[in-house]
Protein backbone atom coordinates (compact mmCIF):
# COMPACT_ATOMS: atom_id res chain seq x y z
CA UNK A 1 0.00 0.00 0.00
CA UNK A 2 2.86 2.38 0.79
CA UNK A 3 4.29 2.00 -2.71
CA UNK A 4 0.88 2.58 -4.24
CA UNK A 5 0.31 5.72 -2.19
CA UNK A 6 3.73 7.19 -2.91
CA UNK A 7 3.40 6.57 -6.60
CA UNK A 8 -0.04 8.22 -6.68
CA UNK A 9 1.22 11.06 -4.50
CA UNK A 10 3.93 11.95 -6.99
CA UNK A 11 1.50 12.72 -9.77
CA UNK A 12 -0.96 14.29 -7.34
CA UNK A 13 1.62 16.81 -6.17
CA UNK A 14 2.75 17.53 -9.73
CA UNK A 15 -0.83 18.26 -10.74
CA UNK A 16 -1.43 20.51 -7.75
CA UNK A 17 1.70 22.49 -8.56
CA UNK A 18 0.70 22.80 -12.21
CA UNK A 19 -2.71 24.11 -11.20
CA UNK A 20 -1.23 26.50 -8.65
CA UNK A 21 -3.07 24.76 -5.80
CA UNK A 22 0.03 24.40 -3.63
CA UNK A 23 0.01 27.93 -2.34
CA UNK A 24 0.15 28.51 1.43
CA UNK A 25 -3.07 29.03 3.35
CA UNK A 26 -3.74 29.75 7.03
CA UNK A 27 -3.82 26.84 9.45
CA UNK A 28 -6.71 28.57 11.21
CA UNK A 29 -10.29 27.81 10.19
CA UNK A 30 -11.47 30.66 7.95
CA UNK A 31 -15.08 30.15 9.09
CA UNK A 32 -14.16 29.85 12.78
CA UNK A 33 -15.87 26.48 12.93
CA UNK A 34 -14.86 23.14 14.42
CA UNK A 35 -16.70 19.91 13.67
CA UNK A 36 -16.49 16.92 16.01
CA UNK A 37 -17.75 13.84 14.21
CA UNK A 38 -17.38 10.07 13.87
CA UNK A 39 -14.52 8.27 12.12
CA UNK A 40 -17.09 6.27 10.11
CA UNK A 41 -15.84 5.62 6.57
CA UNK A 42 -19.11 6.80 5.03
CA UNK A 43 -18.60 10.25 6.50
CA UNK A 44 -15.17 10.86 4.97
CA UNK A 45 -15.53 13.98 2.84
CA UNK A 46 -19.33 13.83 3.19
CA UNK A 47 -19.57 15.86 6.40
CA UNK A 48 -17.70 18.84 4.95
CA UNK A 49 -19.49 18.65 1.60
CA UNK A 50 -22.93 18.30 3.17
CA UNK A 51 -22.33 21.33 5.39
CA UNK A 52 -20.91 23.41 2.56
CA UNK A 53 -17.33 23.70 3.80
CA UNK A 54 -14.08 23.49 1.91
CA UNK A 55 -10.48 22.86 2.86
CA UNK A 56 -9.16 25.73 4.96
CA UNK A 57 -12.55 26.77 6.30
CA UNK A 58 -13.14 24.41 9.25
CA UNK A 59 -11.34 22.13 11.67
CA UNK A 60 -12.51 18.52 11.87
CA UNK A 61 -12.02 16.31 14.88
CA UNK A 62 -12.97 12.62 14.75
CA UNK A 63 -13.10 9.51 16.87
CA UNK A 64 -15.16 6.32 17.11
CA UNK A 65 -18.75 7.47 17.66
CA UNK A 66 -17.88 11.13 18.35
CA UNK A 67 -17.83 10.19 22.00
CA UNK A 68 -16.28 11.56 25.15
CA UNK A 69 -15.00 8.61 27.11
CA UNK A 70 -13.80 8.95 30.70
CA UNK A 71 -14.49 12.65 30.64
CA UNK A 72 -13.22 13.01 27.07
CA UNK A 73 -10.28 15.15 28.16
CA UNK A 74 -8.37 14.80 24.90
CA UNK A 75 -11.29 15.82 22.68
CA UNK A 76 -12.28 18.68 24.99
CA UNK A 77 -8.67 19.86 25.06
CA UNK A 78 -8.61 20.10 21.25
CA UNK A 79 -11.89 22.03 21.17
CA UNK A 80 -10.72 24.37 23.94
CA UNK A 81 -7.41 25.02 22.18
CA UNK A 82 -9.31 25.69 18.98
CA UNK A 83 -11.47 28.23 20.78
CA UNK A 84 -8.66 29.85 22.75
CA UNK A 85 -5.88 30.19 20.20
CA UNK A 86 -7.18 29.14 16.79
CA UNK A 87 -10.19 31.39 16.31
CA UNK A 88 -12.93 28.78 16.72
CA UNK A 89 -16.24 30.47 17.54
CA UNK A 90 -18.72 27.71 16.79
CA UNK A 91 -18.59 23.96 17.40
CA UNK A 92 -20.76 21.39 15.63
CA UNK A 93 -21.05 17.94 17.18
CA UNK A 94 -22.17 15.82 14.23
CA UNK A 95 -23.22 12.28 15.03
CA UNK A 96 -24.79 10.03 12.44
CA UNK A 97 -27.50 7.43 12.05
CA UNK A 98 -26.50 3.76 11.95
CA UNK A 99 -23.34 4.41 14.00
CA UNK A 100 -21.11 1.41 14.58
CA UNK A 101 -20.57 2.48 18.18
CA UNK A 102 -24.25 1.90 18.88
CA UNK A 103 -24.34 -1.47 17.15
CA UNK A 104 -21.21 -2.81 18.85
CA UNK A 105 -21.45 -4.95 21.99
CA UNK A 106 -19.07 -6.33 24.61
CA UNK A 107 -19.32 -9.88 23.28
CA UNK A 108 -18.23 -8.83 19.79
CA UNK A 109 -15.21 -6.98 21.16
CA UNK A 110 -14.31 -9.85 23.51
CA UNK A 111 -14.42 -12.33 20.61
CA UNK A 112 -12.32 -10.05 18.39
CA UNK A 113 -9.73 -9.69 21.15
CA UNK A 114 -9.60 -13.47 21.68
CA UNK A 115 -9.31 -14.09 17.95
CA UNK A 116 -6.35 -11.69 17.82
CA UNK A 117 -4.59 -13.22 20.83
CA UNK A 118 -5.14 -10.42 23.32
CA UNK A 119 -4.35 -11.83 26.76
CA UNK A 120 -7.38 -13.03 28.77
CA UNK A 121 -6.21 -11.09 31.81
CA UNK A 122 -6.10 -7.93 29.70
CA UNK A 123 -9.62 -8.57 28.38
CA UNK A 124 -10.90 -9.14 31.92
CA UNK A 125 -9.21 -6.00 33.23
CA UNK A 126 -11.74 -3.59 31.69
CA UNK A 127 -15.45 -3.11 31.26
CA UNK A 128 -15.43 -3.65 27.50
CA UNK A 129 -18.50 -1.50 26.79
CA UNK A 130 -17.03 1.36 28.75
CA UNK A 131 -13.56 0.83 27.29
CA UNK A 132 -14.90 0.93 23.73
CA UNK A 133 -17.29 3.81 24.37
CA UNK A 134 -20.43 2.07 23.15
CA UNK A 135 -23.36 4.48 22.91
CA UNK A 136 -27.00 3.50 23.50
CA UNK A 137 -28.37 6.14 21.09
CA UNK A 138 -26.73 8.44 18.53
CA UNK A 139 -28.92 11.47 19.27
CA UNK A 140 -28.58 11.08 23.02
CA UNK A 141 -24.80 10.88 22.67
CA UNK A 142 -24.72 14.09 20.62
CA UNK A 143 -26.83 15.81 23.26
CA UNK A 144 -24.49 14.69 26.04
CA UNK A 145 -21.37 15.73 24.13
CA UNK A 146 -22.82 19.18 23.39
CA UNK A 147 -23.58 19.60 27.08
CA UNK A 148 -20.10 18.48 28.13
CA UNK A 149 -18.42 20.83 25.64
CA UNK A 150 -20.50 23.76 26.89
CA UNK A 151 -19.66 22.93 30.49
CA UNK A 152 -15.94 22.32 29.99
CA UNK A 153 -14.15 24.85 32.15
CA UNK A 154 -11.49 25.78 29.58
CA UNK A 155 -13.97 26.59 26.82
CA UNK A 156 -14.98 30.28 26.74
CA UNK A 157 -18.69 30.87 27.32
CA UNK A 158 -19.09 32.81 24.06
CA UNK A 159 -18.40 29.67 21.98
CA UNK A 160 -21.61 28.34 20.40
CA UNK A 161 -22.08 24.57 20.46
CA UNK A 162 -24.62 22.81 18.24
CA UNK A 163 -25.68 19.18 17.94
CA UNK A 164 -26.61 17.48 14.67
CA UNK A 165 -27.27 14.03 13.26
CA UNK A 166 -26.35 13.07 9.72
CA UNK A 167 -27.69 10.41 7.41
CA UNK A 168 -24.50 8.62 6.25
CA UNK A 169 -25.89 8.06 2.74
CA UNK A 170 -27.86 11.16 1.77
CA UNK A 171 -25.84 13.51 3.96
CA UNK A 172 -29.08 14.99 5.30
CA UNK A 173 -28.64 16.84 8.59
CA UNK A 174 -31.07 17.24 11.42
CA UNK A 175 -30.64 19.41 14.48
CA UNK A 176 -30.42 17.63 17.83
CA UNK A 177 -32.21 19.92 20.28
CA UNK A 178 -30.55 20.51 23.65
CA UNK A 179 -33.29 18.79 25.71
ZN1 LIG B 1 -20.18 6.32 13.81
Amino acid sequence: MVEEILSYNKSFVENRRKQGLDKQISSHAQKGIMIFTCMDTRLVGLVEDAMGFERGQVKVLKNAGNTLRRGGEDVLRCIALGALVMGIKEVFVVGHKDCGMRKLNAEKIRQAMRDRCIDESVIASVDLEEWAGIIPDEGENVREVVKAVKEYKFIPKDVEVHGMLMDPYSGELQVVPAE
Side-chain angles (χ1 to χ4, degrees), residues 11 13 16 23 30 41 57 81 85 112 115 119 125 137 144 158-159:
S11 59
V13 171
R16 276 181 76 78
K23 59 179 183 290
Q30 289 158 19
T41 315
Q57 295 185 330
L81 282 174
V85 295
D115 290 349
D119 204 273
S125 70
D137 178 81
E144 281 170 19
D158 59 344
V159 173

Side-chain angles (χ1 to χ4, degrees), residues 5-173:
I5 290 171
L6 288 178
S7 145
Y8 172 80
N9 181 253
K10 218 172 167 179
S11 59
F12 173 82
V13 171
E14 269 168 31
N15 276 330
R16 276 181 76 78
R17 285 199 180 118
K18 262 185 221 156
Q19 294 172 60
L21 294 172
D22 59 336
K23 59 179 183 290
Q24 295 202 2
I25 61 169
S26 170
S27 66
H28 286 194
Q30 289 158 19
K31 300 254 182 190
I33 285 169
M34 183 180 275
I35 299 165
F36 175 39
T37 189
C38 181
M39 67 184 194
D40 191 294
T41 315
R42 296 167 293 181
L43 265 52
V44 175
L46 182 69
V47 171
E48 297 88 335
D49 284 355
M51 295 177 81
F53 299 132
E54 292 173 2
R55 174 175 177 265
Q57 295 185 330
V58 296
K59 291 195 181 295
V60 182
L61 198 56
K62 293 187 174 192
N63 71 14
N66 47 274
T67 51
L68 301 179
R69 285 185 53 265
R70 297 179 182 166
E73 180 69 22
D74 199 40
V75 171
L76 293 172
R77 172 187 67 93
C78 295
I79 298 174
L81 282 174
L84 292 167
V85 295
M86 298 165 195
I88 298 301
K89 294 177 169 57
E90 257 179 286
V91 178
F92 287 84
V93 178
V94 183
H96 67 99
K97 293 172 183 171
D98 195 40
C99 185
M101 295 312 288
R102 175 177 58 74
K103 299 191 289 183
L104 199 56
N105 61 57
E107 197 39 54
K108 225 172 182 174
I109 303 167
R110 185 174 297 113
Q111 198 51 55
M113 286 180 166
R114 282 181 179 148
D115 290 349
R116 304 296 289 275
C117 306
I118 306 295
D119 204 273
E120 280 298 331
S121 65
V122 173
I123 299 174
S125 70
V126 290
D127 175 332
L128 290 173
E129 291 210 2
E130 201 271 318
W131 173 84
I134 292 171
I135 55 173
D137 178 81
E138 294 94 337
E140 194 50 46
N141 175 60
V142 166
R143 200 171 285 125
E144 281 170 19
V145 174
V146 166
K147 187 167 180 277
V149 172
K150 281 183 181 165
E151 288 174 356
Y152 188 54
K153 59 188 176 186
F154 295 108
I155 292 179
K157 291 287 169 234
D158 59 344
V159 173
E160 284 183 50
V161 190
H162 314 275
M164 288 184 161
L165 265 189
M166 176 167 281
D167 180 296
Y169 301 106
S170 69
E172 185 181 10
L173 281 169

